[in-house]
Structures are given as structure tokens and as C-alpha cells.
Amino acid sequence: MLTIYKDILQVAEKQGDTESALKILRSLPFPDFAFFMMTINNHSGFHDKLPQMAPIAAQKRWTGKSGLDLLQTSIDFVKAINIFHYERGLRFNECENVLDFGFGWGRIIRLLYYYFDTNNLYGVDPLQDSLDICNEYNLKANLEKSEFLLKSLPFDRKFDLMYAFSVFTHLSDKSASNAMNVLRKSISKKGYLVATIRPVEYWDFAVKAQIINEDQRDKLKKEHRDKGYAFYLHESRPEDKGGATYGDSSFSLEYIEENWTDWKLDKIDRNISDPFQLVCFFSPK
């Protein structure tokens, strides 16, 4: 952290509870707040108030990245959501309830502390490991385990903002459509869903990354052209129970508009830090 922020950190450290500390820390510029959250293990005075950072191995397990590379991608995603609200004359931090669909180890939730009180943040994830690591490192939010093939959300409320970063990029068409239907039931009238998908060009990258071979790429790109989506299976879990298999997927915008009919696709964004994730903004019809 820059030395000019020393006084802010000292005042925040003396606060007796989480929300009071966050109120002080929000005077930092957002990127510096995010960097502070990433390096919080170096600030022992905050360990009783804020979550400690997950180990590098855990970060890579859930996202394939860690450290500053992952932080930049996460910052860009949150900024894209903030800009979307600003363009529509809305204030990002006025969202009453926020849902992280597929919270993993909680990397986005940590950054959203900059805008929201912890009791306004909710999350679901089908992996018990995700819930365990968030509890182990004291992530403060309302977190629950969900089904792999989503049936309902375990929260009796409507959400003004839902987001799913690098979730639909790994779902089959059946499980993705199912999730969109369930999420639609819990979005508020003024709410938005922000989800990332992969374009067809992802399959060329997947060859370079040695995820698939060239024959598989050609087959997947043809599948995308013919059906509007393509899915490459990595793993099928017994608890998936029909459709929520894990892999890599791509979706065309035409497929989305024809099949996710309860949602209106309002905007598409893209961040250079993660170019094969199209950021899609949806509002309820």
C-alpha cells in the first residue's frame, strides 16, 4: 500500500467491528481497497474484522489464476458493473440485495465490501469445498450451498443485482437454461443479472492452452455455428443428476435471445484482462 494511505489504515484498524472498519476503508480508491483485501494477511490488526486471503493454491484451483493477475480481472469485472449502473442513472451501492451465483472462494464478494454492507451480500455455490474455504478464512456474507442442477435459491427475497463470473462458461446448455429460469424468479423488477459467457473464438484459445486438440476444436466450432452453443465435458459428478455437468462452453448471442426468453440482453462488455469472457447484462422481461 502507498504510504499516503497509512493514516486511513490506522484509523480503520482501531474500529471495533467490521462495518465500522469498512466505512473508513471505503475512502481508499477502489483499486487500492482491492489490493488491500488481497494483501490483508500482512495486516494482523484486521484479522478479527475482515476475511484473510485464500492461499495461492486455492485461488488457482477455483480460477486458474492468482495474485495480481486475478485481482486485475476481478477489478475490471466489478468496474464494468458499476459503469453499467452509472450509464442508467443508478447508483451501484444502492442495490439492496446482491447475489453471487457461484461464489467459489469469495474473490468478488471481498471486493464488493467497498460498496455494500456484508449483510446485503448473498451467495450460493454447489461445492461444499467453496463453503468450507469461505468459512475457514472468515468471509463475511450470507452463503449457502445450492444444487448442481439448480432448483431454487435458499433465500426468501428479491435481488437487485445478481452476478455470475465464469460460471455459465462451464455449464451445459441444459444446466445454464435451468439456472437462468431459477434466477429469474428471484430478480427484483429493477434488478440486473450480470453473467459471463464465452464466444466461439474461445475454442482457438483452448487449443493453444492445450485444453483440447485441433479436431475437437473444429467439432466444437461447428457445433457452435449449427446450434448456437458448444460444450466440452471435463467432469460429470454423480450429484449432477442430469445436466449440470462441468466443462467449457460457448454461447452465441442469437442462442441467448432465442432461449433465455424471460430476460432481455441489455449490453455486452469485454475486458482486455480476460478477453474470452463476454460480460452480458440482463434485465427481467
Side-chain angles (χ1 to χ4, degrees):
M1 293 290 292
L2 298 177
T3 56
I4 59 174
Y5 303 136
K6 182 179 179 181
D7 291 344
I8 294 174
L9 296 184
Q10 288 179 343
V11 172
E13 189 176 19
K14 293 177 181 178
Q15 303 305 304
D17 60 85
T18 297
E19 301 304 338
S20 298
L22 286 174
K23 186 176 181 180
I24 303 300
L25 291 169
R26 288 174 188 138
S27 61
L28 294 169
F30 175 62
D32 289 294
F33 176 88
F35 182 78
F36 167 76
M37 293 302 298
M38 186 188 76
T39 58
I40 196 168
N41 292 4
N42 299 329
H43 303 274
S44 59
F46 290 94
H47 290 181
D48 61 334
K49 304 178 187 72
L50 295 170
Q52 296 183 51
M53 194 59 179
I56 289 177
Q59 296 177 41
K60 289 184 176 180
R61 176 190 170 190
W62 266 270
T63 63
K65 293 182 180 181
S66 65
L68 285 174
D69 286 344
L70 181 58
L71 183 67
Q72 185 62 62
T73 299
S74 305
I75 288 174
D76 288 346
F77 179 69
V78 174
K79 281 188 171 182
I81 301 175
N82 200 351
I83 290 170
F84 177 78
H85 278 75
Y86 175 79
E87 289 173 344
R88 279 148 184 79
L90 305 172
R91 289 178 62 85
F92 186 25
N93 60 357
E94 289 180 352
C95 295
E96 186 171 348
N97 295 307
V98 179
L99 178 75
D100 187 325
F101 181 60
F103 56 78
W105 57 268
R107 65 186 177 104
I108 302 294
I109 288 176
R110 295 161 190 262
L111 301 191
L112 291 186
Y113 288 170
Y114 189 76
Y115 297 100
F116 305 103
D117 290 344
T118 58
N119 60 2
N120 292 118
L121 298 172
Y122 295 78
V124 293
D125 197 290
L127 291 177
Q128 183 62 43
D129 286 353
S130 296
L131 199 59
D132 290 344
I133 194 169
C134 289
N135 288 334
E136 180 180 357
Y137 291 96
N138 196 30
L139 188 75
K140 298 178 183 295
N142 304 288
L143 305 178
E144 295 287 347
K145 192 171 182 290
S146 64
E147 308 94 353
F148 278 89
L149 189 59
L150 196 64
K151 297 178 181 178
S152 62
L153 293 178
F155 307 113
D156 184 19
R157 65 193 63 248
K158 298 289 186 180
F159 292 92
D160 294 332
L161 170 63
M162 299 173 165
Y163 63 89
F165 188 95
S166 197
V167 175
F168 289 89
T169 56
H170 296 294
L171 298 182
S172 67
D173 63 304
K174 178 180 178 180
S175 53
S177 294
N178 184 79
M180 290 297 285
N181 290 335
V182 173
L183 293 175
R184 175 63 180 82
K185 297 175 182 177
S186 293
I187 193 77
S188 70
K189 291 182 179 180
K190 65 178 181 179
Y192 292 94
L193 166 65
V194 187
T196 61
I197 62 167
R198 284 181 174 139
V200 68
E201 289 84 1
Y202 168 75
W203 301 116
D204 294 315
F205 167 79
V207 171
K208 294 178 182 179
Q210 299 182 334
I211 298 171
I212 57 175
N213 59 40
E214 292 183 356
D215 289 339
Q216 291 169 324
R217 174 200 60 190
D218 294 343
K219 179 181 178 181
L220 289 162
K221 291 180 74 171
K222 183 179 186 303
E223 183 178 344
H224 181 104
R225 290 192 300 268
D226 294 344
K227 298 180 180 179
Y229 71 89
F231 179 70
Y232 177 71
L233 177 66
H234 285 309
E235 180 182 356
S236 182
R237 305 180 179 95
E239 61 267 41
D240 287 347
K241 296 181 181 178
T245 44
Y246 176 82
D248 284 318
S249 61
S250 65
F251 291 92
S252 72
L253 300 182
E254 293 78 12
Y255 174 91
I256 288 173
E257 292 176 344
E258 290 175 6
N259 291 273
W260 299 351
T261 54
D262 288 336
W263 296 93
K264 176 187 175 186
L265 180 59
D266 293 311
K267 180 184 176 181
I268 301 168
D269 203 346
R270 190 165 72 103
N271 297 314
I272 298 303
S273 63
D274 200 349
F276 295 107
Q277 300 250 20
L278 294 181
V279 185
C280 299
F281 297 82
F282 299 92
S283 60
K285 286 185 178 178

